[in-house]
C-alpha cells in the first residue's frame, strides 16, 4: 500500500509539473485539435470548389453538356469568357482552370474525328491543380462518350465490373487523415511527455530529491507512465469525440472503449520508450533529436502511410517488434472497419508483450542512470 501511495503521489506531482509548463500544455492542445484538423483537410485528394472558366467557341449541345457537368462541391459553376480574358484571368489567379472548346467540336466528334480541347492549369494552386486536371479529363471523356452513344451502337463489354467501396463509400480523405493524425499524436506526445518529465527533473535538480526519498526506480517510472499516459489517453478521447466525430463529421465504426484499451497498451510501450530516451539524453534538444530519429521509421514503416504488404519482407519482420505496427492495425480495424475484440485480440497481446519488453529495458536503464 505504501508503494501504491508513492506511485499515486509521484504521478500527481508529474501532472502538476506538466500543468506549470505552458509550452507542453499548448503542444498537447494543438496536437489534438488544430493539427488533426489540418492533417485531415490540408491537401484534399479531390478538387473542392475549384474555379474554372470556359471559352466555348462551339456553342453546341455537347459543349453545353460539358459546362453543365462541372458541379459543386468539386467545381464552382464555370464562367463563360472569351479568349482575350483567358490569359488575363490565369495571370491574375482568378481561375485555376480554363477550358477552350474549339469551333465545330460537336460536328467533329460525331464525324469520328478526334478534336482537341485545350485545358490550362494554374499549377501554383498545387493542392487542386493535379487532381483537378484529372477530374476534368474524366468529365470530358464521360460526357462525350455518353453523348456519342446516342448516335452510335453501344459496345457491349463481355464483363461488367461492379465496384463497391467498403468502409469509406465516398473515398473521403478526411476519414483516413484524421484518424491517422490521432494515432500519430498518441505516439509522439507520449514519448515527448515522459522523456521531457525526466529531463525536466534533471535540469531542475529534483531528481536528487527523489534519490534521498524512500522511493524506488520502479515507483518513479510507474508514476511517470500512468500520469503522462493518462494525459494522452484523455486528450485522444476528447479529440475523437469533438474533433474527429464532431468537427470533421467522421463516423467512428467501432467501439471507442476498445480503441482506448488498445491505446492504453500502446502508451505502456511508448511512455517506456520516452523514459529510455530521457535517460540517454542530457538536454531537451538531444531528446528532440532522438525522438525524431525514432518517430520517422515508427510512422512510415508501421503501415500507417503505406501498406506493410508493399514493403520488403525483411522490413515487415523487423517492424513486428515496433508497437506502432500493432497499434495502427488495431486502430484502423476498430475505428474504420468496426472490428471487435474477437478480431483485434492478437494486436492487444502484441502490444502487451512489446510494452513489457520496453518497460523492463527502460527500468534497467533508469536504475543504472540513478546510481
Amino acid at each position: 500500500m505504501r508503494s501504491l501511495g508513492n506511485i499515486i503521489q509521484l504521478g500527481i506531482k508529474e501532472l502538476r509539473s506538466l500543468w506549470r509548463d505552458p509550452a507542453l500544455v499548448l503542444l498537447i492542445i494543438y496536437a489534438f485539435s488544430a493539427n488533426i484538423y489540418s492533417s485531415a483537410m490540408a491537401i484534399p485528394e479531390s478538387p473542392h470548389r475549384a474555379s474554372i472558366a470556359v471559352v466555348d467557341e462551339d456553342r453546341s449541345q455537347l459543349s453545353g453538356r460539358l459546362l453543365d457537368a462541372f458541379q459543386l462541391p468539386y467545381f464552382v459553376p464555370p464562367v463563360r469568357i472569351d479568349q482575350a480574358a483567358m490569359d488575363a484571368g490565369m495571370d491574375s489567379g482568378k481561375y485555376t482552370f480554363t477550358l477552350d472548346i474549339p469551333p465545330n467540336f460537336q460536328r467533329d466528334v460525331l464525324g469520328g474525328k478526334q478534336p482537341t480541347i485545350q485545358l490550362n492549369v494554374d499549377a501554383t494552386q498545387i493542392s487542386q491543380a493535379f487532381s483537378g486536371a484529372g477530374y476534368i479529363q474524366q468529365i470530358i471523356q464521360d460526357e462525350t462518350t455518353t453523348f456519342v452513344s446516342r448516335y452510335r451502337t453501344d459496345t457491349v463489354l463481355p464483363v461488367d465490373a461492379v465496384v463497391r467501396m467498403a468502409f469509406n463509400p465516398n473515398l473521403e480523405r478526411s476519414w483516413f487523415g484524421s484518424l491517422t493524425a490521432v494515432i500519430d499524436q498518441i505516439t509522439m506526445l507520449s514519448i515527448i511527455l515522459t522523456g521531457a518529465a525526466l529531463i525536466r527533473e534533471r535540469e531542475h535538480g529534483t531528481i536528487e530529491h527523489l534519490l534521498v526519498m524512500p522511493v524506488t526506480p520502479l515507483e518513479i517510472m510507474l508514476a511517470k507512465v500512468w500520469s503522462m499516459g493518462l494525459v494522452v489517453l484523455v486528450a485522444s478521447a476528447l479529440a475523437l469525440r469533438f474533433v474527429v466525430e464532431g468537427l470533421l463529421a467522421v463516423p467512428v465504426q467501432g467501439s471507442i472503449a476498445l480503441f482506448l484499451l488498445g491505446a492504453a497498451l500502446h502508451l505502456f510501450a511508448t511512455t517506456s520508450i520516452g523514459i529510455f530516451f530521457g535517460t540517454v539524453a542530457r538536454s531537451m534538444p538531444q531528446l528532440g533529436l532522438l525522438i525524431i530519429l525514432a518517430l520517422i521509421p515508427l510512422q512510415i514503416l508501421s503501415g500507417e502511410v503505406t501498406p506493410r504488404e508493399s514493403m520488403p519482407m525483411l522490413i515487415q519482420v523487423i517492424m513486428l517488434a515496433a508497437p506502432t505496427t500493432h497499434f495502427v492495425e488495431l486502430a484502423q480495424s476498430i475505428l474504420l472497419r468496426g472490428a471487435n475484440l474477437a478480431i483485434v485480440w492478437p494486436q492487444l497481446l502484441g502490444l502487451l508483450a512489446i510494452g513489457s519488453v520496453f518497460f523492463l529495458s527502460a527500468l534497467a536503464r533508469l536504475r543504472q542512470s540513478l546510481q
Side-chain angles (χ1 to χ4, degrees):
M1 293 300 295
R2 187 184 69 177
S3 179
L4 180 60
N6 291 338
I7 294 172
I8 294 175
Q9 292 301 322
L10 289 173
I12 294 174
K13 177 188 73 68
E14 295 295 340
L15 295 175
R16 289 174 177 170
S17 299
L18 176 63
W19 179 253
R20 297 190 185 100
D21 193 332
L24 287 179
V25 172
L26 289 176
L27 176 62
I28 295 171
I29 296 174
Y30 169 79
F32 284 102
S33 57
N35 187 68
I36 293 176
Y37 182 84
S38 61
S39 297
M41 305 297 292
I43 303 179
E45 292 183 348
S46 60
H48 181 70
R49 298 185 61 85
S51 57
I52 182 171
V54 179
V55 179
D56 187 1
E57 300 182 76
D58 192 33
R59 299 283 179 172
S60 63
Q61 182 181 357
L62 177 56
S63 64
R65 184 187 182 98
L66 292 179
L67 266 70
D68 293 338
F70 297 105
Q71 300 286 339
L72 293 170
Y74 301 113
F75 300 93
V76 297
V79 179
R80 290 180 179 267
I81 59 173
D82 54 25
Q83 286 188 336
M86 183 172 62
D87 290 339
M90 293 288 290
D91 293 340
S92 63
K94 187 176 181 180
Y95 309 119
T96 304
F97 305 97
T98 56
L99 195 66
D100 188 356
I101 302 176
N104 303 321
F105 174 67
Q106 177 176 307
R107 185 188 67 184
D108 292 342
V109 168
L110 295 178
K113 299 180 180 179
Q114 294 182 336
T116 301
I117 292 181
Q118 182 184 40
L119 173 64
N120 300 312
V121 182
D122 181 3
T124 60
Q125 305 290 337
I126 191 169
S127 62
Q128 308 229 43
F130 300 105
S131 60
Y135 270 69
I136 292 175
Q137 293 178 34
Q138 189 64 44
I139 288 173
I140 294 174
Q141 180 179 347
D142 291 345
E143 294 298 327
T144 304
T145 302
T146 304
F147 182 80
V148 171
S149 65
R150 297 179 179 178
Y151 298 90
R152 297 179 182 174
T153 304
D154 292 339
T155 301
V156 180
L157 298 177
V159 177
D160 185 14
V162 178
V163 180
R164 293 184 175 90
M165 303 298 178
F167 310 118
N168 189 355
N170 295 324
L171 300 180
E172 295 285 346
R173 183 185 183 277
S174 61
W175 290 21
F176 180 79
S178 60
L179 298 177
T180 300
V182 172
I183 297 172
D184 281 344
Q185 304 317 310
I186 290 175
T187 303
M188 180 186 70
L189 283 178
S190 58
I191 298 176
I192 289 177
L193 293 181
T194 48
L198 196 57
I199 296 292
R200 184 169 53 241
E201 286 187 341
R202 184 180 292 115
E203 291 179 345
H204 294 172
T206 55
I207 191 68
E208 287 79 7
H209 297 169
L210 291 177
L211 294 177
V212 299
M213 294 176 63
V215 294
T216 64
L218 177 61
E219 293 171 353
I220 295 174
M221 184 167 174
L222 286 174
K224 296 183 185 301
V225 167
W226 83 257
S227 59
M228 297 300 101
L230 179 62
V231 170
V232 176
L233 197 64
V234 171
S236 60
L238 293 176
L240 280 175
R241 177 64 184 87
F242 295 105
V243 180
V244 176
E245 290 186 300
L247 186 60
L248 294 171
V250 177
V252 175
Q253 303 296 335
S255 169
I256 293 182
L258 183 59
F259 167 76
L260 293 178
L261 173 62
L265 293 176
H266 179 62
L267 289 168
F268 178 53
T270 53
T271 51
S272 300
I273 295 175
I275 292 176
F276 184 88
F277 286 166
T279 61
V280 174
R282 296 301 174 184
S283 62
M284 287 293 186
Q286 288 185 8
L287 177 65
L289 291 175
L290 287 174
I291 291 175
I292 291 174
L293 291 176
L295 277 179
I296 292 176
L298 285 177
Q299 293 177 351
I300 295 178
L301 303 178
S302 63
E304 177 183 314
V305 180
T306 57
R308 294 182 63 247
E309 293 76 11
S310 63
M311 302 178 189
M313 183 58 64
L314 179 61
I315 299 298
Q316 296 185 38
V317 174
I318 293 175
M319 289 305 295
L320 288 175
T324 49
T325 300
H326 305 276
F327 183 55
V328 167
E329 185 175 355
L330 176 142
Q332 292 179 351
S333 298
I334 295 174
L335 300 179
L336 292 175
R337 297 191 289 271
N340 54 26
L341 182 60
I343 296 176
V344 300
W345 68 264
Q347 287 75 41
L348 294 175
L349 288 181
L351 287 172
L352 180 60
I354 294 172
S356 300
V357 173
F358 280 116
F359 182 86
L360 294 176
S361 301
L363 179 60
R365 176 66 188 178
L366 180 62
R367 283 172 174 165
Q368 182 182 357
S369 65
L370 295 179
Q371 290 178 355

